Amino acid sequence: MKPDDWMILRDDSYAGGVRKYHHDYELAVGPGGRWVSPVTVFSIGSTLQGAMAAYWSRSGFDSMPTLVDKLDASLFDALSKAVLLKRDFLQGSWTFATFQNFLTNLPPNNLLHLVSFWPNGFDEYYPDYLPPSSTLGTLAELQSLVAYARAMGHLVMPYTNPTWWDDQLPTLAALGTGIAARDPGGSPIYEYYGSHGGYVVSPYDSDVVNRQDQTRDEFTTTVPCDFLFEDQLGARGPMYDEHPDAPDPMHYNQGIINVAARSAMWLPTMTGGGFDRLAWTETGFCNSHTINWHWWPSGTYTTFPMAPLWAHENLYFSVHNLAGTTMTNDLSALTYQVSIGYSLSYDLSSLDPSWLRVIDCFQKHFVSPLFGQAMLSFEELATTGRTSTTFADGTIVRANLTESAMAVGDHVVVPGGFVAENDGDVLAAVVSTLYGETLAGGAAHYLVLHHKDCSVEVHQPLGDDGTIAIPRPASWDESDRIGVFAITSEGQRIAQAVTIQPDSLAINYSSTVNGHTIDYFNISYCVDGDADCDGVVDLSDYSVFAGCMSGPGVSCAPGCEAMDLDEDSDVDLLDFARLEERFTE
């Protein structure tokens, strides 16, 4: 089976105007031999979703481990919030030391994908990644960079290639070409990528497995990282391998699956491309199919997110890990990627700090809660270029990849933008009108609204300052308990005015307040137990409660009235029990 073809259904008028789903087999049959095809099921009269569900369950993939199963809770949470930031050390005059110093200019808590840190540059010197290129620094400096990045909250994922190795490097000189996969004539398989030549190595050769283990050890022990990127595992098609250690010449792809499974015993892995059987052990697929990046003429096909619809619970999805042109570089890419359940990515060689701030905000506050959730449906709307995607928690993303504005209820989505809602609440949007109110200025407003029981965080990483109004939650029935704070980038809280109406709450969103850069506005409802009125009952409120604890029958001190949750004029263990019930973080 061609590995990319399970991911996408092609509406290919270029090839006859029919919908096609390719399922190819490679085979090797000797003279007089017979070939028996695997069972192939044709779902006649079924809906696409029904046929997809049948294929997934009949293949046994519905018992595949989820992302929650594959990652511990802290790593799952960190990856869900992380933008993939590619740092290719061939692009620019970087060293390990200068990039380490530069890290303070990047948003924290992202995924650093390190590329071309080994001698001689990209597609050279595999698998001898360490010691790194002396032009970039020493091994100790690479170790310092990675340790410093992880201390800042970043995840680190180095690039490797376990399938194709340079013919001019120490490993090949030591082991010889006997480690290579063999073609039907028994010759080692040699491939070029541009001017770079090397051998396809057999996944069954014991020296290859041992050298792959060395790489796994290097990035768990010598330079401890969080993920390992193994290129080409998900992008190689069926291959004939007559290596003497291979169980069968047609078992090359099973060997690739074995490589991924073995690597996952060391640390979580990602790869470029991907196919269903590889998804059992891989954490992430970085795919190639994106807007206007295909060899077919534009307008002759439409993409369909088959892989995320099958496996959004099981895999991290992103666009190609190396192709900066396909990453989240503009509004249309942002909209397309969130509509198909992808995490966001950025190539640091073309750094625009203000745009990176935008996608960092969307990843952390909108994409993150959808991470590892099932994608239930994807449908094209009546107007070509407009789609609707539904996730398991009820979130609906309506994308507008057209040159005209799109009305969605009381909202107006700008050309190229989207709006995501859940039960009537806007979660994220790029709009000119929100809840029926025209927003300030003529530019699009990039908004993320994080709803909690007693607060709504309003993030606007890009857009003109001005009034933003949201519906007033029905349970916020006491107006004197409603307040607003502007939260600065340093975490300072600055009280702001709020216009309270029976059905709405309005703030004057400003990107700076009193000379401070604003991260977001917090509209909150101050319930008993919420001492700082930030909309959550957390450890900061507990510390206030501890200072107010007076005991049964002892009148609470002035300023501690909010901690008298049972309203009996004291603060005691009965109040603590109620505080525990309201504890949110």
Side-chain angles (χ1 to χ4, degrees), residues 437-452:
E437 299 291 331
T438 302
L439 299 171
H445 287 250
Y446 291 68
L447 296 166
V448 179
L449 284 73
H450 190 193
H451 300 263
K452 302 179 182 179

Side-chain angles (χ1 to χ4, degrees), residues 27-263:
L27 57 138
V29 183
R34 296 176 66 246
W35 176 71
V36 179
S37 167
V39 174
T40 302
V41 177
F42 292 87
S43 187
I44 307 299
S46 172
T47 63
L48 174 59
Q49 295 284 87
M52 287 173 59
Y55 168 77
W56 201 248
S57 60
R58 284 175 63 100
S59 302
F61 298 145
D62 49 2
S63 60
M64 183 182 294
T66 66
L67 274 170
V68 174
D69 299 325
K70 295 174 181 178
L71 304 173
D72 64 45
S74 61
L75 192 55
F76 176 92
D77 181 66
L79 183 60
S80 76
K81 297 174 181 175
V83 178
L84 186 153
L85 301 178
K86 175 196 168 192
R87 169 77 283 157
D88 189 329
F89 283 96
L90 288 180
Q91 298 174 327
S93 54
W94 294 98
T95 66
F96 299 139
T98 58
F99 187 54
Q100 178 172 325
N101 292 334
F102 182 77
L103 287 179
T104 56
N105 297 299
L106 299 177
N109 306 317
N110 286 304
L111 173 62
L112 295 182
H113 183 34
L114 304 183
V115 182
S116 303
F117 53 86
W118 49 87
N120 292 6
F122 193 72
D123 278 346
E124 294 282 355
Y125 233 68
Y126 309 153
D128 297 321
Y129 309 100
L130 300 180
S133 171
S134 59
T135 62
L136 301 175
T138 64
L139 174 59
E141 288 174 314
L142 175 59
Q143 291 168 323
S144 174
L145 164 62
V146 171
Y148 183 75
R150 297 179 78 196
M152 291 183 65
H154 291 301
L155 305 171
V156 178
M157 180 173 68
Y159 175 100
T160 68
N161 188 332
T163 75
W164 176 86
W165 293 350
D166 190 358
D167 61 350
Q168 298 175 343
L169 83 171
T171 290
L172 257 295
L175 299 180
T177 60
I179 67 174
R182 307 300 178 88
D183 66 19
S187 299
I189 299 175
Y190 192 89
E191 292 178 344
Y192 278 100
Y193 292 93
S195 61
H196 308 284
Y199 290 96
V200 178
V201 297
S202 175
Y204 294 102
D205 184 276
S206 58
D207 287 330
V208 168
V209 174
N210 290 337
R211 186 58 186 84
Q212 290 168 340
D213 283 351
Q214 180 181 327
T215 296
R216 295 162 181 137
D217 287 335
E218 287 172 341
F219 294 113
T220 54
T221 303
T222 308
V223 184
C225 295
D226 301 281
F227 293 89
L228 185 66
F229 192 90
E230 297 186 307
D231 203 4
Q232 296 194 336
L233 289 185
R236 285 198 171 274
M239 183 176 291
Y240 187 95
D241 178 12
E242 209 171 67
H243 190 282
D245 291 343
D248 183 277
M250 296 309 299
H251 280 202
Y252 175 84
N253 272 49
Q254 182 58 53
I256 290 293
I257 295 169
N258 297 346
V259 172
R262 188 173 180 87
S263 292

Side-chain angles (χ1 to χ4, degrees), residues 53 73 80-81 101 161 196 210 257 270 274 354 358 386 395 404 432 468 482 503:
S80 76
K81 297 174 181 175
N101 292 334
N161 188 332
H196 308 284
N210 290 337
I257 295 169
M270 298 191 195
S354 62
V358 172
R386 295 176 179 175
T395 295
S404 302
S432 59
I468 296 177
I482 300 173
D503 298 320

